Amino acid sequence: GQANHNVARAVGFGDLVQIKKQLISVISLCKERGLVHSVKWASELAFALKPLPMSELPPPAPLTEEDVEDLDALGLAKSYFDLKEYDRAAYFLRGCRSKKAYFLYMYSRYLSGEKKKDDETVDSLGPLEKGQVRNEALRELRVELSKKHRTGELDGFTLYLYGVVLRKLDLLKEAVDVFVEATHALPLHWGAWLELCNLITNIEMLKSLSLPDCWIRDFFLAHMYTELQMIKEALQKYQSLIEAGFSKSTYIISQIAVAYHNIRDIDQALSLFNELREQDPYRIENMDTFSNLLYVRSMKPELSYLAHNLVEIDKYRVETCCVIGNYYSLRSQHEKAALYFQRALKLNPRCLGAWTLMGHEYMEMKNTSAAIQAYRHAIEVNKRDYRAWYGLGQTYEILKMHFYCLYYYRRAHQLRPNDSRMLVALGECYEKLSQLSEAKKCYWRAYSVGDVERMALLKLAKLHEQLNESDEAAHCYIIYIQDIFSCGELLEHVEVSTALRYLGQYYFKNKRYDEASLCAQRCCDYNDAREEGKALLRQISQVRDQGEASSADVSLPCVFGSLSNNNTPVRRVSPLDLSSVTP
Amino acid sequence: MASVHESLYFNPMMTNGVVHANVFGIKDWVTPYKISVLVLLDEMTISKRMTLLERRRLNKLILPLQQVPPQLHMMVVGELKDMESFFDTLPNPFSDAESEASKTSVVGLFMRHMLLAYNKLSFSQVYKLYTALQRYYDDCLGSQPGPPTAPPVDADMELSEMELTSTEDGAEGKMDKEEPDAGPMQYSELLCPLSQKQAEYFLARQAYLLKNDENKALKPAALQEELNNMLKFNPDFAEAHYLSYLNSMRVQDVFISTHSLLHYFDRLILTGGDGKSNGDEGYGRSLRYAALNLAALHCRFGHYQQAELALQEAIRIAQESNDHVCLQHCLSWLYTLEQMKGSDSSVLTEDSVKMAAHFGLPYLASLGIQSLVQQGATGGKAANMLMDALKDTDILHWKHSLSELIDISLAQTTSIWRMYGKSTMALQCAQVLLNMNSLEQVDFGVQQNNTEAFAVVLCHLAELHAEQGLFGASSEILKHLKERFPPHTQHAKLWMLCDLKIQFERAMNDGKYHLAEPHVAAIAALDQMEGLYRKGLVMKAQNQTTDAYRVLQRLQLLCEKTKCTEMIIRVMLTTAELHWESSGFSTALPLLLQALVLARQHHLQALASETILHLAFSQLMLGVPEQALNILHEAMEPILAHGALLDKGRALLLVAKCQMAVSGGREDRRTGLEQAVQTLDEAAAYFSRMGCKDRLRDTHYLQARLHHALGHTAQRNECALLFRMVDQELPPARANLANRL
């Protein structure tokens, strides 16, 4: 197979046939070695490409002398391995000399250690032993592998295993080096890339690595960008991959959907997930993300359908439990929701999302201490989980500790500098602490990075109003109304009417009666502002009767078309000069 | 509603010890160590011939354990069945009621607990316990000469604890993101996690040392590594986070300390909460103290605005839940904060003291009083009031055994006496503290902690000795200080400043201004005002009059802002000296009078005497030596009683000069001059003890002139010789030497 992989480097996306050939051969290589996840990934990708004609199918990897010698032992061991009898498999592979057998031998020993470690945690000898349970095999494996590594005897697969062992021993720097080496030796093995992905913490680190120049690297980079929250770059990469011919790949679709979810482009993400469900109806992976989206949109029937569907497929999966948890949460049955998140954690204690979601449930139940605990666990698993930091902030905010929660919101903001929610939360805290200038900065920044909830401007406007900065307040209201009208949705009637009311009064005071009457008329569309609107209109006509002319002060903000346009959604008006609003 | 603990029920690995125990319904666990204790107890009950008296001799009892009891050895080298049979035979000694270890005794209870715990172990747990026992035996006793033991455990492992992950499908395909721990985690030796008790002891010990004797605590980096290690094994160990907070405060790391503090309280909330929110105990309480601690953190880092916000929050929450104790703590931080910000907080402090006394919080009350005394001392309150207040708090301290506050109180008294210029009293107070044994338990052989109070007192002592010309003793004290408070510790700045000041004074008195100059920068780094003042002094000495004046003006503005009376007076005196340089003796007078008023107002006797010397000198130069002599008489007594050697010398020299001037035209000129000679002799003695050659030269010169006038040729020649000897050593005298006190 080695020859095949060397070819891989030269092949670009132009040659999909070559890529398919490579995928097919790597699938068989991984299958022989029991690397099921990599097999799955490669197979999914291969499935997305056109089938090859009979003549084009790659020949099976040629057998060496040693392979033939070990054939029987390998067959036996592999069958034991498949049945999870790792020690037994390792026993029969002891003396084998072929590389394939050696890998399976070492891998069996590793997995046996992991399995025992898991089993032992159940009957540990009490708190004293807490955290002391370890995979006893790792040490020996490391010694043996490092010896072979020094003499250069390791192939791509064993290098990968060596890397895994190093990572498990927390020797992260060495692990990264070994994984990079593994990707060079065998670029098509997705597992090595994925491990590397877990070890890279920032973009600088990513740039500093020298990775093999292979088509698979683009998949890796796209994945990496998603992990590092560089969603724009990730989407670009995935788009180019689709254009290169992987349009049918469910893997790519799911990744794009997750990326859209991360930047909270809910519509795009939802449509992609629906597409994914159509293509791959029995898929469970990523469905928890899908359910998050349905939850955010409050799509109860869809979420219910998804939950029932998943339960039918496999109810003992982390994703299924999370979906059910979300479902109960949406139905405000928070105890049950928490129970299902707990079950998810039972299935995989390192399941980050469940900890955070459980925290949210406890918050709903007003059990703040349990919520804090859940969030802390989430942070323990991943320090960069901005939702957990944000959740902690919210918890302390509920406890009315506005200064205390600043720290947590700041952490969340650091992790997601362009997320308006953290900024709005920070702004609210500052407002509560009477740090108004700070609050203004936060709200303005929240608006600038693209405020999804559209609350930042309104809050900013109210803040200006409070400080008697009427010009700035009017500016904010104008932009706010523009935003609301231009997107064609009229969700927040109350707030729109508040804005209109203020603007009406503002124009009236500034003697710009045309605009004032326009605002007043619009006010009449809303129940709560109707009376005031009418009153203002009367006032205006009174003043006009007295013959007072409209002020022609050009410096005041101009009224925009959308108001007179009778509710028809218009395209976004060109933004006003906002220099005076900037705090 | 699911309580905290229920929510954790499902995952034993994620919980802390308590929850863990609840899961299995066992509070005690059999550990290798406890087996050893059991063996010891067993041995003891077997050897019945020992009388009770003998048995009390602990040495004999422990001896079998130290010598590896055969039973334990048998168990380790033998097989699993040996351990099993040990537990089987264990009950026998207790079955007869005669035994010491009867059912209800402490020992009996312990043994029954262990038996119960052992019987509850599952099959694989028993085997694990056995291997753990073997390892324990090897680790502890393997090095001792003894019978061969079980296969040795490799000690050259270079690995650390792994995270727990599900391994259903092998290693690959782990999508969950694992965050690498901060910093490279490599351990050259086998990590041996501490047990709960060991860890608790470690934390308590280090925290105590950080507070009382930083010198003996682990170095910051080493301690942090220990803590990280500990948290790795047991992330729920909240106290470790708190120690990490204290440790990073030590190295002034605001980031980690905030992080650790908040983490601690997040964790504390989990362990403390029993489902009830906002109760008097547990959850609500820790929330209040969380906010308060955050305020304290910002205070310590000098983030006054943040500290204020956090404090407001703490106060609000405490008020809402009617927690008066917490409120009092908040109040004491409030006045501390106000004080740090430089505003007057005496009203707040008084309130705090009253309230603290009302709620029965002696610690807070006397802290408040001490703070009030300090404010009162700098604000010019009457000395008797301050001393009374301190005496009252002392009674409180002794009553409640607040040993820490007793130390502080004594150190404060020392400082106050010194400020008032009563060096004898200060000396006495310092000795009282230094000769006192701490009430708290301290290490063997050491009776005292290394707290700030001791540093302060020792510094005073060093300065007092230096004042009296006992430079050897003073440097001995400083050496001691350096040993007790090494340079990197928190109180080291105190002696650094003290050391520099002494060196500076010596260099100035020697007339070696070029040696004094480098000290100025060092002093300024430790104390801005002091540095500025010394800079002015050096400039004045080097005849850079205008620059010196500018520096002093700046300093005066600064002092007025911070209301530092002592420094204001000193600046005034130095400014007056600058006026002298330009022969502006009359212009110096109003300044000096102002200084005198201030010094008297604040009871600063040393400074008042100094001011009188200055006044007298001005008068002398203005040609009214009689007046000068008059006011000098007033100052002589305190100076001779409490003043530094230099002051004494200077005062006597001035008196001699006045006497000479007075006796100028009169008939009894001769007696006047003889008196002056005597005074000069005394002054010369002081100056020579101080090693103050510059002034010695002046004195010898005057002596020689006087002897000459009196016709004592021999003495004149002797003095002239002395003068010449000193003069040769020193650089040429300044032009306007006469214009100096």
Side-chain angles (χ1 to χ4, degrees):
Chain A
Q2 203 62 41
N4 247 331
H5 310 130
N6 291 335
V7 177
R9 278 169 214 179
V11 176
F13 286 109
D15 200 351
L16 287 179
V17 178
Q18 272 304 321
I19 291 177
K20 173 115 185 178
K21 274 188 191 169
Q22 289 169 6
L23 281 171
I24 289 173
S25 58
V26 84
I27 287 168
S28 73
L29 285 176
C30 287
K31 216 179 257 170
E32 286 170 341
R33 289 165 175 81
L35 295 164
V36 281
H37 282 271
S38 291
V39 172
K40 187 186 86 175
W41 184 82
S43 306
E44 271 178 2
L45 218 54
F47 183 76
L49 296 176
K50 265 190 235 124
L52 291 180
M54 183 73 178
S55 58
E56 290 276 353
L57 278 179
L63 292 173
T64 62
E65 191 80 12
E66 290 153 344
D67 284 337
V68 177
E69 254 172 56
D70 297 340
L71 201 59
D72 298 326
L74 197 62
L76 180 67
K78 183 68 181 30
S79 67
Y80 290 143
F81 181 92
D82 289 341
L83 290 166
K84 298 198 172 156
E85 297 188 63
Y86 301 120
D87 285 336
R88 207 168 168 192
Y91 176 78
F92 284 103
L93 286 168
R94 268 163 312 148
C96 293
R97 288 187 298 137
S98 70
K99 291 208 154 150
K100 204 193 289 177
Y102 181 70
F103 174 80
L104 200 62
Y105 171 62
M106 296 304 262
Y107 192 42
S108 304
R109 285 172 61 191
Y110 167 75
L111 284 184
S112 143
E114 286 292 300
K115 188 163 176 283
K116 277 180 195 150
K117 185 182 82 175
D118 272 9
D119 293 346
E120 289 217 359
T121 52
V122 181
D123 24 81
S124 75
L125 281 172
L128 279 186
E129 275 219 335
K130 191 169 159 214
Q132 291 184 46
V133 189
R134 65 170 67 113
N135 183 342
E136 297 293 343
L138 288 176
R139 207 162 21 98
E140 292 166 25
L141 287 177
R142 185 189 163 212
V143 173
E144 286 177 40
L145 285 170
S146 72
K147 247 182 242 158
K148 290 223 172 196
H149 183 233
R150 243 174 278 137
T151 53
E153 285 177 64
L154 298 183
D155 66 351
F157 287 110
T158 30
L159 274 171
Y160 159 74
L161 183 62
Y162 184 39
V164 170
V165 169
L166 287 175
R167 177 174 71 79
K168 287 276 179 176
L169 290 171
D170 270 351
L171 301 166
L172 301 181
K173 240 174 75 192
E174 290 87 334
V176 170
D177 295 341
V178 172
F179 281 127
V180 170
E181 212 182 319
T183 54
H184 277 283
L186 186 71
L188 289 171
H189 181 209
W190 179 240
W193 293 97
L194 208 54
E195 285 288 344
L196 202 54
C197 193
N198 284 344
L199 291 173
I200 292 173
T201 47
N202 53 45
I203 184 72
E204 282 76 29
M205 191 175 167
L206 178 64
K207 278 180 185 160
S208 69
L209 298 177
S210 81
L211 298 168
D213 186 22
C214 168
W215 56 268
I216 205 167
R217 194 175 70 160
D218 287 294
F219 281 89
F220 166 72
L221 285 178
H223 188 98
M224 206 58 241
Y225 289 145
T226 322
E227 286 287 315
L228 295 173
Q229 304 280 352
M230 297 162 64
I231 304 296
K232 222 177 83 193
E233 288 83 349
L235 284 174
Q236 265 173 9
K237 273 267 181 251
Y238 282 125
Q239 197 54 47
S240 67
L241 284 174
I242 285 182
E243 278 159 18
F246 290 101
S247 56
K248 278 195 219 149
S249 161
T250 49
Y251 167 76
I252 292 180
I253 295 174
S254 68
Q255 285 290 316
I256 297 178
V258 169
Y260 275 124
H261 165 261
N262 284 353
I263 49 165
R264 294 188 299 148
D265 192 336
I266 297 170
D267 295 322
Q268 286 272 19
L270 275 178
S271 70
L272 278 170
F273 270 119
N274 281 323
E275 193 187 325
L276 192 62
R277 294 264 298 154
E278 256 170 52
Q279 284 188 22
D280 190 2
Y282 290 94
R283 185 188 178 97
I284 292 186
E285 273 166 88
N286 306 112
M287 284 305 125
D288 48 340
T289 317
F290 185 33
S291 75
N292 285 347
L293 292 167
L294 294 174
Y295 179 91
V296 171
R297 275 287 147 89
S298 306
M299 295 160 83
K300 258 191 219 176
E302 285 86 347
L303 188 54
S304 163
Y305 177 74
L306 179 68
H308 285 108
N309 195 248
L310 289 181
V311 167
E312 264 176 38
I313 301 168
D314 184 353
K315 58 180 172 179
Y316 296 116
R317 282 282 293 262
V318 177
E319 289 90 346
T320 312
C321 295
C322 286
V323 172
I324 300 173
N326 272 335
Y327 167 70
Y328 276 123
S329 180
L330 192 58
R331 296 189 46 166
S332 304
Q333 291 179 311
H334 299 293
E335 286 89 345
K336 278 197 179 172
L339 203 72
Y340 272 95
F341 290 130
Q342 282 177 22
R343 180 183 283 188
L345 286 170
K346 220 185 224 172
L347 292 167
N348 180 6
R350 297 194 61 82
C351 171
L352 167 72
W355 277 119
T356 316
L357 289 171
M358 198 160 79
H360 292 336
E361 291 316 310
Y362 280 124
M363 281 276 284
E364 293 287 341
M365 290 190 262
K366 300 272 177 291
N367 186 350
T368 40
S369 62
I372 289 171
Q373 151 176 291
Y375 288 133
R376 265 293 170 192
H377 278 303
I379 291 169
E380 207 161 272
V381 180
N382 182 1
K383 272 181 220 154
R384 297 191 316 191
D385 181 20
Y386 68 94
R387 282 163 306 173
W389 285 111
Y390 182 71
L392 273 175
Q394 274 183 318
T395 319
Y396 282 109
E397 202 180 346
I398 282 187
L399 293 165
K400 291 195 218 143
M401 295 169 75
H402 299 289
F403 181 76
Y404 204 77
C405 66
L406 277 181
Y407 173 80
Y408 298 101
Y409 282 141
R410 262 190 231 127
R411 289 299 291 255
H413 172 61
Q414 266 169 17
L415 294 165
R416 295 264 296 188
N418 287 331
D419 196 326
S420 63
R421 287 171 298 179
M422 286 80 180
L423 282 161
V424 172
L426 271 173
E428 281 173 351
C429 287
Y430 278 124
E431 207 179 324
K432 292 260 169 52
L433 294 167
S434 320
Q435 305 273 300
L436 297 184
S437 65
E438 304 290 325
K440 275 194 266 184
K441 278 181 212 161
C442 288
Y443 289 142
W444 182 249
R445 178 91 194 125
Y447 167 72
S448 314
V449 297
D451 181 24
V452 183
E453 270 96 26
R454 302 181 190 290
M455 288 307 285
L457 268 178
L458 204 63
K459 285 179 188 293
L460 186 59
K462 282 180 180 162
L463 211 56
H464 282 307
E465 208 179 314
Q466 220 178 312
L467 293 168
N468 286 328
E469 297 163 347
S470 55
D471 287 344
E472 282 88 347
H475 267 297
C476 294
Y477 278 128
I478 288 172
I479 308 171
Y480 172 67
I481 291 181
Q482 265 181 345
D483 265 11
I484 295 288
F485 278 77
S486 62
C487 72
E489 294 173 58
L490 287 176
L491 296 168
E492 298 126 310
H493 292 296
V494 184
E495 301 302 350
V496 172
S497 63
T498 319
L500 284 171
R501 217 165 359 176
Y502 183 83
L503 280 178
Q505 293 293 346
Y506 171 75
Y507 284 128
F508 183 71
K509 260 184 225 146
N510 284 302
K511 301 184 178 161
R512 297 186 50 176
Y513 303 118
D514 294 337
E515 285 89 345
S517 67
L518 198 57
C519 289
Q521 279 163 17
R522 303 291 311 179
C523 270
C524 296
D525 294 345
Y526 303 97
N527 283 334
D528 55 330
R530 187 163 296 140
E531 288 312 311
E532 259 181 79
K534 281 180 184 163
L536 188 60
L537 278 176
R538 271 197 299 279
Q539 269 179 312
I540 293 170
S541 62
Q542 226 172 5
V543 175
R544 278 200 171 140
D545 288 345
Q546 285 165 6
E548 226 179 289
S550 257
S551 155
D553 190 352
V554 259
S555 73
L556 285 172
C558 234
V559 137
F560 30 88
S562 56
L563 282 182
S564 50
N565 235 342
N566 242 351
N567 245 351
T568 34
V570 289
R571 295 193 66 77
R572 192 175 281 262
V573 192
S574 61
L576 298 166
D577 176 25
L578 296 167
S579 52
S580 62
V581 192
T582 321
Chain B
M1 191 190 289
S3 85
V4 189
H5 289 166
E6 275 164 19
S7 71
L8 279 171
Y9 185 78
F10 56 90
N11 191 357
M13 284 306 291
M14 288 288 181
T15 58
N16 56 29
V18 186
V19 182
H20 209 126
N22 288 343
V23 172
F24 300 100
I26 305 169
K27 288 213 175 80
D28 281 316
W29 293 89
V30 190
T31 63
Y33 172 72
K34 284 178 181 165
I35 290 184
S36 314
V37 176
L38 280 177
V39 171
L40 176 68
L41 290 172
D42 200 32
E43 295 267 316
M44 280 161 56
T45 42
I46 288 167
S47 55
K48 280 192 178 165
R49 259 161 289 163
M50 248 193 261
T51 67
L52 197 65
L53 195 73
E54 279 176 315
R55 231 172 257 192
R56 288 218 176 111
R57 293 186 181 152
L58 208 67
N59 283 351
K60 270 200 173 167
L61 293 183
I62 300 301
L63 202 60
L65 186 64
Q66 284 177 336
Q67 289 172 338
V68 186
Q71 251 181 305
L72 193 61
H73 175 65
M74 220 172 66
M75 237 191 278
V76 171
V77 290
E79 285 172 52
L80 185 58
K81 72 170 167 39
D82 294 312
M83 190 174 81
E84 281 171 345
S85 70
F86 170 70
F87 275 99
D88 285 342
T89 54
L90 199 54
N92 297 342
F94 315 122
S95 42
D96 58 320
E98 302 284 305
S99 169
E100 294 293 319
S102 67
K103 271 193 267 182
T104 47
S105 71
V106 178
V107 173
L109 215 59
F110 169 71
M111 289 175 119
R112 288 190 320 168
H113 260 303
M114 285 302 105
L115 270 178
L116 213 61
Y118 177 78
N119 288 334
K120 283 209 176 180
L121 291 181
S122 71
F123 180 80
S124 57
Q125 278 173 325
V126 171
Y127 184 68
K128 270 188 85 172
L129 177 65
Y130 181 65
T131 47
L133 179 67
Q134 282 183 330
R135 203 177 310 137
Y136 174 75
Y137 183 87
D138 280 350
D139 287 353
C140 298
L141 308 164
S143 55
Q144 284 183 11
T149 53
V153 182
D154 306 21
D156 60 337
M157 289 188 275
E158 194 187 318
L159 56 91
S160 51
E161 196 55 29
M162 293 131 270
E163 311 286 344
L164 194 85
T165 38
S166 75
T167 39
E168 266 188 300
D169 298 307
E172 51 159 356
K174 284 283 163 335
M175 301 295 285
D176 46 352
K177 179 106 180 151
E178 287 188 15
E179 184 72 14
D181 275 307
M185 282 281 196
Q186 286 186 34
Y187 302 104
S188 50
E189 52 192 326
L190 171 67
L191 281 180
C192 184
L194 302 168
S195 75
Q196 188 87 11
K197 284 259 156 49
Q198 281 171 317
E200 271 168 22
Y201 176 73
F202 173 78
L203 291 184
R205 170 107 194 118
Q206 290 297 326
Y208 175 82
L209 287 177
L210 278 192
K211 186 176 154 220
N212 289 318
D213 199 348
E214 200 194 338
N215 202 4
K216 291 203 190 86
L218 281 179
K219 296 272 172 293
L223 182 56
Q224 197 62 45
E225 197 173 331
E226 272 305 313
L227 291 172
N228 286 343
N229 212 345
M230 197 179 285
L231 286 171
K232 203 169 166 151
F233 284 117
N234 189 350
D236 288 346
F237 210 15
E239 287 76 11
H241 286 295
Y242 197 78
L243 195 61
S244 152
Y245 153 63
L246 292 178
N247 192 36
S248 35
M249 287 291 296
R250 232 167 126 195
V251 289
Q252 299 282 302
D253 186 334
V254 68
F255 183 76
I256 295 182
S257 50
T258 318
H259 181 76
S260 298
L261 183 72
L262 296 188
H263 202 149
Y264 167 70
F265 278 106
D266 284 344
R267 291 285 174 188
L268 190 72
I269 285 161
L270 329 177
T271 48
D274 285 330
K276 55 176 160 184
S277 58
N278 289 325
D280 278 345
E281 286 160 23
Y283 179 39
R285 188 167 174 274
S286 57
L287 279 182
R288 298 191 281 279
Y289 284 96
L292 181 60
N293 269 286
L294 191 60
L297 182 141
H298 285 305
C299 256
R300 291 201 174 106
F301 280 107
H303 306 156
Y304 297 134
Q305 199 201 0
Q306 276 100 319
E308 209 174 310
L309 289 171
L311 205 53
Q312 276 169 8
E313 195 158 285
I315 292 171
R316 188 174 42 73
I317 311 173
Q319 271 171 344
E320 278 167 12
S321 45
N322 277 329
D323 184 343
H324 292 291
V325 178
C326 182
L327 270 177
Q328 284 325 300
H329 282 284
C330 293
L331 189 53
S332 60
W333 270 109
L334 193 62
Y335 72 69
T336 314
L337 181 63
E338 291 294 317
Q339 229 170 313
M340 284 168 112
K341 280 175 16 186
S343 45
D344 182 30
S345 63
S346 52
V347 181
L348 273 176
T349 320
E350 273 170 38
D351 281 351
S352 165
V353 171
K354 275 180 211 152
M355 298 291 279
H358 178 252
F359 288 107
L361 301 166
Y363 188 89
L364 280 184
S366 59
L367 263 187
I369 293 175
Q370 283 176 350
S371 170
L372 265 180
V373 166
Q374 198 171 348
Q375 287 172 44
T378 47
K381 283 258 164 62
N384 59 336
M385 272 170 62
L386 299 181
M387 288 299 165
D388 272 351
L390 277 178
K391 196 186 72 207
D392 289 346
T393 52
D394 275 342
I395 295 170
L396 209 65
H397 300 153
W398 288 105
K399 210 163 106 186
H400 296 276
S401 309
L402 301 168
S403 109
E404 186 192 347
L405 291 180
I406 294 170
D407 295 354
I408 296 175
S409 167
L410 277 170
Q412 205 175 25
T413 320
T414 313
S415 301
I416 289 177
W417 279 127
R418 256 209 96 200
M419 193 182 91
Y420 286 153
K422 307 282 188 196
S423 55
T424 326
M425 291 304 289
L427 214 56
Q428 219 164 37
C429 270
Q431 292 295 351
V432 169
L433 179 59
L434 291 174
N435 285 305
M436 198 173 63
N437 290 346
S438 175
L439 289 181
E440 282 173 49
Q441 212 178 350
V442 197
D443 275 347
F444 299 106
V446 189
Q447 303 299 334
Q448 288 162 352
N449 285 316
N450 282 352
T451 51
E452 191 182 5
F454 285 91
V456 168
V457 162
L458 282 167
C459 283
H460 280 310
L461 213 56
E463 280 181 33
L464 284 170
H465 278 88
E467 271 181 10
Q468 298 304 322
L470 305 166
F471 294 112
S474 156
S475 67
E476 277 294 315
I477 296 170
L478 278 169
K479 216 175 98 197
H480 177 68
L481 268 166
K482 273 175 210 170
E483 275 164 25
R484 254 175 103 163
F485 305 91
H488 64 271
T489 53
Q490 21 186 351
H491 307 308
K493 277 184 188 169
L494 288 171
W495 61 254
M496 286 176 180
L497 185 60
C498 166
D499 190 15
L500 283 169
K501 275 200 227 167
I502 292 173
Q503 285 185 41
F504 178 87
E505 295 286 346
R506 277 192 85 171
M508 288 299 280
N509 289 337
D510 264 359
K512 294 173 184 160
Y513 309 125
H514 59 286
L515 285 182
E517 213 173 350
H519 293 315
V520 171
I523 291 176
L526 293 165
D527 184 340
Q528 193 200 354
M529 285 217 286
E530 200 68 48
L532 219 53
Y533 174 62
R534 309 272 159 172
K535 193 172 167 191
L537 286 184
V538 172
M539 281 176 163
K540 183 173 78 73
Q542 288 172 339
N543 281 336
Q544 301 169 339
T545 319
T546 19
D547 290 335
Y549 187 71
R550 210 174 299 132
V551 168
L552 288 174
Q553 284 311 101
R554 230 176 85 203
L555 182 58
Q556 185 146 21
L557 284 178
L558 206 69
C559 292
E560 273 157 18
K561 214 186 279 168
T562 50
K563 298 197 182 85
C564 181
T565 324
E566 274 181 283
M567 192 53 90
I568 291 177
I569 296 172
R570 278 201 259 157
V571 170
M572 282 175 170
L573 293 181
T574 318
T575 319
E577 284 171 20
L578 277 180
H579 285 305
W580 295 347
E581 306 255 327
S582 49
S583 304
F585 296 103
S586 51
T587 46
L589 278 180
L591 210 57
L592 288 172
L593 286 172
Q594 209 182 336
L596 187 62
V597 169
L598 260 178
R600 290 221 166 121
Q601 237 170 32
H602 291 263
H603 309 275
L604 305 172
Q605 202 191 41
L607 282 171
S609 312
E610 174 96 9
T611 318
I612 290 175
L613 285 188
H614 278 73
L615 269 174
F617 182 75
S618 301
Q619 284 172 333
L620 174 70
M621 296 310 282
L622 285 170
V624 275
E626 297 86 356
Q627 281 298 322
L629 261 182
N630 272 346
I631 59 165
L632 265 179
H633 280 304
E634 193 188 327
M636 278 318 280
E637 196 184 325
I639 286 181
L640 288 179
H642 291 285
L645 273 188
L646 183 67
D647 291 336
K648 289 181 194 173
R650 275 158 68 201
L652 287 170
L653 182 60
L654 186 59
V655 169
K657 278 183 188 168
C658 288
Q659 281 169 338
M660 280 160 66
V662 169
S663 62
R666 276 193 258 154
E667 297 134 26
D668 51 349
R669 181 162 181 251
R670 201 175 166 80
T671 42
L673 289 185
E674 269 165 1
Q675 261 183 349
V677 167
Q678 271 173 11
T679 325
L680 280 177
D681 281 344
E682 242 179 288
Y686 286 133
F687 285 137
S688 68
R689 259 166 71 193
M690 274 303 276
C692 185
K693 291 187 183 125
D694 202 10
R695 288 199 161 83
L696 205 56
R697 178 170 58 181
D698 297 359
T699 321
H700 287 318
Y701 175 73
L702 279 178
Q703 276 176 318
R705 292 299 301 254
L706 281 178
H707 283 306
H708 178 72
L710 289 166
H712 304 153
T713 323
Q715 281 104 321
R716 180 201 66 188
N717 290 348
E718 195 183 327
C719 287
L721 178 68
L722 282 172
F723 168 77
R724 179 145 176 72
M725 271 159 66
V726 179
D727 193 46
Q728 271 173 339
E729 276 180 51
L730 291 176
R734 293 187 304 165
N736 49 357
L737 192 68
N739 294 346
R740 200 178 71 161
L741 188 64

